[in-house]
Structures are given as C-alpha cells and as structure tokens.
C-alpha cells in the first residue's frame, strides 16, 4: 500500500474553481446521456427501424445499456491509469474519449442513408462514452474528496452528482425551446440533433477548464504510486468491498436514470402527457436534484452515512410502487410532478451521502479504481438498464406502475449493503485495517 510523506504537499489554491473544473466533464457526459434518453423515440426511428414503436424503442435503450456495459472495463483500465499517473492527467484523458463518442453520435447518418452501418456507428459512440464514463464519475468523486476540508467530505463529493443536474437542466431548456419553436415532425426528423451539436461546441471549453486542474495534495503526498498490475491485484483482493459498494450505489443509479433519462419517455408514451409537460417536470427535477445532493452530503457529514442511507432506502422501498400506482391511475401534470419530486428527494439525499461513503470504504491507494468499478457495475447492470427494464416490465405485465418494483429491488439491495458495510459501527475498511 502506498505510504504518505511527512512533508506538506502544495495546497489547492481555489477549491471552488477546482470543483468547477473537475465537474465540467461530468456536465458533458450527463448532457449527452440525457439527450439520448429524451430523444430515444427519434433516435430509434433514425438508427433502429423496427416493426413497431416499442421494438424500436427497446433497440435504442438496448444500445444505451450496451454502452454502459463498457463502464466496468473503463473503471478498471482508466482507473488504474489515474491511480498510477494522477487525477489531473487521467481526467483529461477521460474527457477526450468522451468527446469522441459525443461527436460520433451527433454526426452519424441515419439508417435510411447508410443502412446497418448507422446503428453500428451509434453503438461505437456509446461504447466510447461508456468506457470513459466508467471512470469519469469515480475520478471526479475521488478528486473532490481529496481536496475537501476536514469534516466536509460528503458535502464536497456531492457536487459530482450536482454537476450532472446542471447538464440535465440545460438540456431540458434546449429541448423545451426546440419543442416551442419547431414542429414536432421536424424535431423528430432532424431537430433532435441540435442539442447534440451544442454539446460538441462546448467540448473545447471543457478541455480548457480541465487542463487548468491542479493535482490533489493527497496524490502528491504519496511516496509510491502503484503500477497497473498492482492496482488490478488490489482491486481483485478487495472484491467484497467493491461488490458491497456497488450494491450501495444501485439505488442512486436506478433512481437517477428513472427520474431523468426515462421520465420524458414515461411521460410521453405511458402517461400520454405532452412533450412540454415531460420536459418541464424533468427540468424541475434537475433543479431539486442539484439542491438535495449537497444537502444529503452535508447531513451525512454531521450524523453519519449509515442513518441517511438506511432512512432513504427504507422510504423508497415502502413508497416506490404505491406512488407510481397512484400516478398511473389518473395521470396529470401535477401528479407526475409530485411523484418525481419525491423520487428527486430520495435520489439527491441518498446520492450526496453515498458518494462520500463509497470514497471512504475503498482502499486509499487504489481509490479511483475501486470506487469507479463499484459505481460502474451499479450503473451498467442496474442504472442504465432502468429505461429498458421499465419499458419491458410495462409491456410484459401490462402494469404501468411496474417500474416501481425495479426501484424497490434497488432499495432492498441498498439496505442490505449498508447494514453489511457499517456492521458494528465501523466500515469494512476500518475493521480490516484493525485486523492487520
């Protein structure tokens, strides 16, 4: 394990500036992810033609999920790179890979133009994005944790998730403007690409921000940085912590993708609300998500991670299905907003707490790799699978509230993992350190 030196490394000059520069890449990633979910119907028609709308939509969400399966690969490969070379350089590399994937999807010709090459190109773009995203969230969370002030780690790391909400807010605004200024047919045919082009335009700005990042004092203080093989071995040795960390993160990822990526589709195709209604709800959810994340992080800094995690997971387990059942019985804009606000509260407070908890339970010398792998597995196997799972559950069961079962399952896993991690008042990492 890496040792820390007794000398004092350079301190971060401006923590607010460092937070903004570190989270800028999160903005780009989530901006594109949300657009893919919101315009899933248009993307399905453009790249994945099928016999019926549901089949095309499942194809589009399937590709969305396949891209996420690259997250664990990126977590291990790029996580090892960041743990060895440094937080700053690693975050610049992940941004470059993510940018390529964004450009590929934005400019890909339709199926009508180039045939089967179109879905293949879109899939490649999603694979690149997933590979990068596998470590982007973990890399940023670790960076924020390592520049945090004493007693405020949860509050600092929560801004990793908050930055994603800004992306959703901006994407929602763009989508709302497009729906107001352009006919629905034009948006479905080609207008949906405009927000993706906007994402391409802001890439150079984010690169400039990332290049000005300072390395974290914690990384500079390490006398020895592990080699890639040492990182892989350490990650394998700590598989139990990684799996439990994944289980803790599942409720964050499933709830997030439900209230952001899937909500527009759910509002339009299941509840039969207007595009404007679905966008407005998503926009307001982004605002409340942004608020609740740091609130959750700050509360967990004061009273501990365990009580917050267990409380929110318990509430989600008890209310997810009943709330959706109440909504689908007689859908209205007001009822959809109320239910989404409830899920936004659950997500924000839980996520703000979970990020700090996950940083703390993984070993410090391979922090980026283990954090990223745990979160990537949660996102790949559960979170980004949520739109597909929700669509499939509704089609298979005929119950429009059935996505609630998926969220309840995630909550149950979170409760089990939190009890296991914090058994006896100490985290797994603390108990193992005492044992050695």
């Amino acid at each position: 394990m890496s040792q820390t030196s007794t000398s004092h490394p350079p301190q971060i000059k401006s923590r607010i500036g460092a937070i903004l520069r570190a989270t800028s890449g999160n903005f780009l990633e989530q901006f594109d992810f949300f657009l893919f979910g919101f315009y899933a119907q248009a993307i399905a028609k453009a790249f994945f033609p099928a016999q019926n709308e549901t089949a095309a939509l499942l194809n589009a969400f399937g590709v969305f999920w396949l891209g996420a399966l690259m997250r664990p690969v990126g977590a291990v490969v790029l996580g090892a790179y960041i743990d060895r070379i440094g937080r700053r350089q690693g975050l610049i590399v992940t941004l470059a890979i993510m940018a390529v994937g964004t450009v590929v999807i934005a400019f890909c010709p339709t199926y009508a133009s180039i045939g089967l090459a179109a879905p293949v190109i879109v899939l490649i773009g999603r694979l690149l994005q997933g590979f990068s995203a596998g470590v982007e969230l973990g890399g940023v969370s670790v960076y924020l944790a390592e520049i945090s002030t004493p007693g405020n780690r949860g509050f600092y790391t929560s801004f990793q998730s908050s930055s994603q909400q800004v992306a959703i807010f901006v994407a929602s605004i763009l989508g709302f403007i497009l729906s107001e200024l352009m006919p629905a047919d034009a948006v479905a045919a080609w207008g949906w690409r405009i927000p993706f082009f906007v994402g391409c335009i802001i890439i150079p700005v984010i690169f400039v921000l990332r290049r000005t990042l300072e390395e974290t004092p914690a990384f500079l203080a390490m006398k020895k940085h592990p080699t890639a093989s040492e990182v892989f071995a350490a990650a394998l040795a700590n598989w139990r912590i990684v799996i439990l960390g994944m289980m803790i993160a599942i409720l964050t990822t499933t709830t997030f993708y439900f209230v952001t990526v899937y909500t527009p589709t759910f509002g339009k195709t299941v509840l039969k609300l207007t595009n404007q209604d679905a966008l407005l709800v998503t926009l307001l959810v982004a605002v409340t998500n942004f608020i609740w994340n740091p609130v959750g992080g700050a509360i967990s800094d004061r009273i501990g991670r365990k009580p917050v995690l267990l409380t929110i997971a318990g509430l989600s387990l008890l209310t997810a299905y009943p709330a959706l059942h109440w909504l689908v019985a007689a859908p209205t804009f007001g009822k959809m907003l109320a239910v989404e606000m409830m899920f936004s509260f659950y997500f924000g407070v839980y996520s703000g707490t979970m990020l700090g908890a996950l940083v703390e339970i993984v070993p410090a010398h391979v922090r980026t790799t283990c954090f990223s792998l745990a979160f990537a597995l949660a996102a790949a196997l559960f979170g980004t699978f949520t739109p597909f799972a929700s669509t499939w559950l509704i089609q298979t069961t005929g119950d429009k509230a059935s996505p609630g079962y998926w969220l309840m399952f995630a909550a149950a896993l979170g409760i089990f993992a939190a009890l296991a991690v914090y058994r006896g008042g100490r985290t797994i990492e603390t108990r193992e350190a005492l044992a050695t």
Side-chain angles (χ1 to χ4, degrees):
M1 181 178 293
S2 303
Q3 303 295 320
T4 57
S5 65
T6 56
S7 60
H8 296 286
Q11 298 298 306
I12 295 294
K13 295 177 182 177
S14 170
R15 284 184 169 83
I16 295 178
I19 290 172
L20 293 174
R21 290 190 291 271
T23 57
S24 60
N26 270 341
F27 175 93
L28 177 63
E29 179 209 347
Q30 202 54 57
F31 182 82
D32 188 74
F33 270 46
F34 171 76
L35 291 177
F36 197 100
F38 180 73
Y39 291 111
Q41 285 180 297
I43 291 173
K45 292 179 181 178
F47 302 116
F48 308 100
Q51 293 180 345
N52 60 70
E53 182 177 327
T54 300
L57 195 58
L58 285 173
N59 286 337
F61 281 140
V63 168
F64 184 80
W65 179 58
L66 286 174
L69 291 182
M70 284 296 290
R71 284 188 174 215
V73 180
V76 173
V77 175
L78 295 177
Y81 177 77
I82 292 178
D83 279 329
R84 179 174 59 86
I85 205 70
R87 316 308 189 204
R88 175 187 177 276
Q89 183 61 36
L91 289 176
I92 293 174
V93 170
T94 62
L95 176 60
I97 298 172
M98 188 189 310
V100 172
T102 298
V103 172
V104 165
I105 293 176
F107 289 91
C108 180
T110 64
Y111 182 90
S113 301
I114 60 174
L116 288 175
V120 172
I121 292 173
V122 171
L123 176 59
I124 291 173
R126 287 290 303 132
L127 293 177
L128 288 172
Q129 288 178 328
F131 183 73
S132 170
V135 80
E136 172 71 20
L137 301 182
V140 171
S141 297
V142 168
Y143 185 92
L144 295 176
E146 291 183 350
I147 68 169
S148 64
T149 54
N152 293 301
R153 179 178 286 171
F155 179 72
Y156 271 72
T157 54
S158 70
F159 283 97
Q160 177 267 101
S161 184
S162 288
S163 68
Q164 298 177 8
Q165 314 316 313
V166 177
I168 294 169
F169 181 84
V170 174
S172 299
I173 289 289
L174 286 174
F176 188 83
I177 292 173
L178 281 179
S179 65
E180 288 293 316
L181 298 180
M182 296 179 63
D185 291 343
V187 173
W190 60 271
W192 63 269
R193 291 185 186 267
I194 295 176
F196 284 91
F197 293 151
V198 172
C200 295
I201 292 172
I202 65 175
I203 287 173
V205 178
I206 298 176
F207 262 111
V208 171
L209 291 173
R210 274 281 168 93
R211 286 179 62 85
T212 60
L213 270 178
E214 301 171 69
E215 188 53 81
T216 68
F219 184 83
L220 293 174
M222 292 182 182
K223 286 184 176 180
K224 180 182 181 297
H225 301 135
T227 64
S229 60
E230 290 172 338
V231 172
F232 295 150
L236 183 61
N238 289 280
W239 66 269
R240 184 165 174 257
I241 296 176
V242 171
I243 295 300
L244 287 173
M246 175 199 74
M247 293 172 66
I248 289 177
I250 285 171
L251 183 56
T252 290
T253 60
T254 52
T255 307
F256 175 74
Y257 280 97
F258 183 84
V259 300
T260 56
V261 174
Y262 182 64
T263 285
T265 300
F266 184 69
K268 290 181 294 184
T269 63
V270 179
L271 304 181
K272 305 303 180 183
L273 300 177
T274 67
N275 285 347
Q276 288 85 347
D277 284 346
L279 268 173
L280 184 56
V281 169
T282 308
L283 188 152
L284 294 173
V285 163
V287 173
T288 54
N289 284 351
F290 180 87
I291 295 171
W292 289 123
N293 264 281
V295 169
I299 292 174
S300 69
D301 283 333
R302 301 299 177 267
I303 70 173
R305 319 291 184 213
K306 180 181 178 181
V308 181
L309 294 174
L310 290 177
T311 298
I312 298 300
L315 287 172
S316 184
L317 179 65
L318 293 173
T319 62
Y321 182 83
L324 286 177
H325 182 74
W326 172 73
L327 170 61
V328 302
T332 65
F333 171 81
K335 291 174 69 174
M336 182 180 182
L337 180 61
V339 171
E340 293 293 326
M341 288 295 102
M342 182 190 76
F343 285 132
S344 172
F345 171 76
Y346 292 167
F347 161 74
V349 175
Y350 189 91
S351 177
T353 302
M354 180 277 301
L355 292 168
L358 196 52
V359 169
E360 291 166 349
I361 68 174
V362 296
H365 66 302
V366 286
R367 183 173 282 154
T368 304
T369 303
C370 288
F371 182 109
S372 299
L373 183 56
F375 197 93
L377 287 170
L381 300 179
F382 296 89
T384 52
F385 191 61
T386 296
F388 184 96
S390 298
T391 303
W392 181 85
L393 280 170
I394 292 171
Q395 183 186 37
T396 302
T397 65
D399 181 359
K400 295 179 180 179
S402 57
Y405 294 129
W406 181 249
L407 299 176
M408 292 170 63
F409 175 63
L413 292 178
I415 292 172
F416 173 84
L419 290 174
V421 166
Y422 293 99
R423 188 177 74 252
R426 294 192 178 103
T427 67
I428 288 176
E429 187 185 25
T430 302
R431 292 197 299 272
E432 291 182 351
L434 291 173
T436 57

